[in-house]
Amino acid sequence: MKRSMKTLILLGVLALFIGGYYLVSSLTQTQSVTEEEGAFALSDISLDTLAGMSWTRDETEYHFVQNEEGLWEKSDDAAFPVNQEALEALAEDLTGLEATRRLENVGELADYGLEEPVFSLTAQLSDGSSLTYAMGDETAFADGYYMSVSNEEGVLYIVEDSLDDLFSDNLTALAQLEEIPEAESYDRLVVGTALDATYVDDSVSLDPAQHWYVTGTSEALDGDALEGLADALNGLTWQELVEYNASQDALAQYGLTDAATALSLLSGEETQRSVLIGAEDDNGDFYARLPDSSMVYLVSSDSVSDLLDAGVETLFEPTLVGLPADNLSRMTFALSGSAQERVVERTVSQAEAAEETAEEAEPTEDVETTEEAETGEDVETTEEVEVFTVDGVEADAQTVKDAYALLTALEGTTRVEDNADGECLLEVSVLGDAGQSLTVRFLSYDVDSYLASTGGDYALLVPASDVDTLIRSLRQLP
């Protein structure tokens, strides 16, 4: 009897525990998360009802609103030059957001990275209400991101586009930057007070291919280098907007007063493109602005460093005598220790070539044919004959050309404003077939260099060994 009573008591206790368990379970049970696939608009906001957008990125707050004219402006600074196209694109991205999946009965937001969202944005509507979009973690299958909208509790969406990426532009990208006018045609490059170079169509030097000169002079400059600098200036772009309405004091701090270095491309006296370059920032880039503008930008060091280093001292044309041998008419030279000036002349004459039939003749540009050529009879041809004389006596053409090649190969290594009257070791005068002429005097300077002077306000240092080789070659002329 006692055993039966104990059994009944144990069964009763067990039943009580089971009933309590089911009671607690029924009271705490939540509905499971349901998921639906399809195309779901995250809200019914349209471009017509969207009045503002605000978000935070890298501790910078962005808040843009539409004014009465329907234009976007920065809420705390109406004068900020908003890039209307950029803001319209963001508005379209926001109002066009669609999800591929919709989750309901969501409980723990932390499970989806939404307790502390990766990115959030608040949209202000024209009726005064607002909606906040929050983006959480990427899905386990990397096919989208969890996103919530503040007016739907317990509902999440999975969207393919990252809201964080859509609104990743910094303030520079959202500002309407000034355009740097492109120079479609130019013939002059000016770098502050360091360089003023002009391109002329007709060379004023011995070299017919020489076109760049120091403005107002006949001092030749390195044409390839000048073209590269002009292209670099014409392609210069802003890297970042620093300040859109800098005060005079701020401009001074940026090194951008009117005394800043101006990089300019001109056509004659008319400026086609000009940018003022100021001080360096902590990263080695440079502050910059347009003339008559208070908007301050950064330009990369790589884009302007060569321009800022440009000057006559670095851009001089190194070739002393740029006249090709085929354009040489006359050369005179005097060597140290010799009172005699020697004269080299080059003449070209037409001479009859050996006769041959029309069938045998190979046409060339320098061949003249008679009417008999069409008949297959003998053809009269002429060819150019080049003759070099030294002091009136015919000399071996190749020997003279080799000596002249040593002269044209000489290049200056350094430009100096020094025409010291050292001992003249060699003086050479060259006359071209178009009448252009040049005289170069080679003066002693130091153990490594001679001073090559053309009579101007500057001279070039040339390697002494190269000049010595030239002198030995000239001495060997008959």
Side-chain angles (χ1 to χ4, degrees):
M1 183 70 178
K2 291 182 178 180
R3 182 178 297 177
S4 300
M5 287 295 294
K6 289 181 179 179
T7 302
L8 289 173
I9 292 171
L10 289 174
L11 290 173
V13 172
L14 180 59
L16 184 61
F17 272 111
I18 294 173
Y21 170 77
Y22 280 108
L23 176 61
V24 172
S25 297
S26 64
L27 292 174
T28 59
Q29 184 178 15
T30 58
Q31 291 179 301
S32 60
V33 176
T34 62
E35 182 176 318
E36 182 182 359
E37 293 186 359
F40 307 93
L42 268 67
S43 70
D44 58 358
I45 297 177
S46 67
L47 291 175
D48 294 331
T49 58
L50 182 64
M53 297 180 290
S54 59
W55 66 97
T56 301
R57 172 173 294 284
D58 298 331
E59 299 183 355
T60 299
E61 294 184 0
Y62 298 79
H63 189 189
F64 295 91
V65 297
Q66 285 190 310
N67 60 23
E68 295 179 353
E69 298 176 352
L71 298 177
W72 289 97
E73 62 183 36
K74 206 165 179 284
S75 64
D76 59 348
D77 189 355
F80 181 83
V82 174
N83 185 326
Q84 297 298 321
E85 290 185 1
L87 265 295
E88 286 293 341
L90 290 179
E92 291 178 2
D93 288 337
L94 181 63
T95 57
L97 277 176
E98 281 193 350
T100 57
R101 282 178 279 172
R102 187 174 190 269
L103 283 64
E104 295 184 352
N105 304 320
V106 175
E108 294 295 331
L109 294 179
D111 294 340
Y112 304 90
L114 285 163
E115 188 171 295
E116 294 182 4
V118 175
F119 182 80
S120 60
L121 177 145
T122 299
Q124 292 86 37
L125 308 182
S126 56
D127 62 3
S129 62
S130 64
L131 283 179
T132 297
Y133 299 80
M135 189 187 86
D137 294 337
E138 189 175 16
T139 65
F141 297 101
D143 59 350
Y145 301 86
Y146 294 108
M147 188 173 295
S148 66
V149 184
S150 59
N151 65 343
E152 292 188 274
E153 186 174 353
V155 176
L156 294 185
Y157 293 93
I158 295 177
V159 296
E160 293 180 347
D161 295 324
S162 166
L163 197 63
D164 185 34
D165 289 343
L166 292 176
F167 285 79
S168 61
D169 285 338
N170 59 22
L171 202 57
T172 296
L174 299 177
Q176 185 62 56
L177 308 184
E178 297 168 300
E179 291 187 5
I180 308 176
E182 183 178 356
E184 295 184 0
S185 62
Y186 55 86
D187 57 13
R188 191 173 165 199
L189 171 64
V190 178
V191 178
T193 58
L195 177 69
D196 190 344
T198 295
Y199 180 96
V200 298
D201 291 328
D202 298 323
S203 173
V204 296
S205 303
L206 284 175
D207 185 359
Q210 177 65 47
H211 297 287
W212 282 97
Y213 299 89
V214 175
T215 299
T217 75
S218 59
E219 181 176 350
L221 296 174
D222 188 330
D224 290 339
L226 264 297
E227 293 289 349
L229 292 176
D231 289 343
L233 177 52
N234 218 8
L236 184 64
T237 58
W238 306 128
Q239 177 173 277
E240 180 182 335
L241 175 66
V242 177
E243 191 170 344
Y244 78 90
N245 190 20
S247 64
Q248 289 299 314
D249 289 342
L251 290 177
Q253 292 180 349
Y254 294 127
L256 287 172
T257 63
D258 291 338
T261 299
L263 308 179
S264 305
L265 290 173
L266 302 91
S267 178
E269 295 297 324
E270 185 176 346
T271 300
Q272 302 295 312
R273 182 182 180 92
S274 186
V275 178
L276 299 181
I277 305 297
E280 287 186 64
D281 74 348
D282 294 338
N283 297 319
D285 296 319
F286 290 86
Y287 296 107
R289 69 177 176 94
L290 293 179
D292 303 322
S293 172
S294 58
M295 294 183 73
V296 177
Y297 306 87
L298 279 175
V299 292
S300 69
S301 174
D302 291 342
S303 65
V304 297
S305 57
D306 287 345
L307 282 159
L308 294 176
D309 291 339
V312 177
E313 295 77 10
T314 60
L315 292 171
F316 63 88
E317 171 53 52
T319 302
L320 292 170
V321 179
L323 182 70
D326 291 343
N327 298 115
L328 176 66
S329 177
R330 188 170 187 263
M331 177 180 72
T332 63
F333 64 92
L335 297 167
S336 175
S338 174
Q340 179 186 7
E341 181 182 73
R342 309 206 64 186
V343 179
V344 176
E345 291 184 301
R346 171 182 175 271
T347 58
V348 178
S349 60
Q350 301 292 329
E352 289 188 3
E355 293 184 351
E356 54 186 339
T357 63
E359 287 81 359
E360 297 172 338
E362 295 184 3
T364 64
E365 294 182 0
D366 296 330
V367 174
E368 295 180 2
T369 62
T370 65
E371 293 181 0
E372 295 174 344
E374 299 178 2
T375 68
E377 299 179 6
D378 287 347
V379 178
E380 294 180 2
T381 62
T382 60
E383 61 182 14
E384 288 188 351
V385 176
E386 187 178 49
V387 177
F388 284 91
T389 61
V390 178
D391 298 331
V393 178
E394 185 172 347
D396 178 67
Q398 192 58 53
T399 300
V400 177
K401 284 185 175 182
D402 289 344
Y404 185 73
L406 293 173
L407 175 64
T408 58
L410 290 177
E411 289 192 348
T413 59
T414 306
R415 180 187 184 276
V416 294
E417 294 185 3
D418 183 2
N419 275 318
D421 191 17
E423 178 188 0
C424 182
L425 303 173
L426 171 65
E427 180 173 319
V428 180
S429 296
V430 176
L431 176 67
D433 54 11
Q436 67 272 45
S437 63
L438 176 72
T439 297
V440 185
R441 300 176 71 235
F442 295 92
L443 311 174
S444 60
Y445 188 78
D446 61 29
V447 67
D448 296 317
S449 303
Y450 290 156
L451 196 71
S453 172
T454 57
D457 297 330
Y458 73 98
L460 297 182
L461 296 182
V462 293
S465 58
D466 293 345
V467 179
D468 290 339
T469 300
L470 170 63
I471 290 174
R472 286 194 296 269
S473 180
L474 292 175
R475 289 188 186 278
Q476 293 173 2
L477 291 179

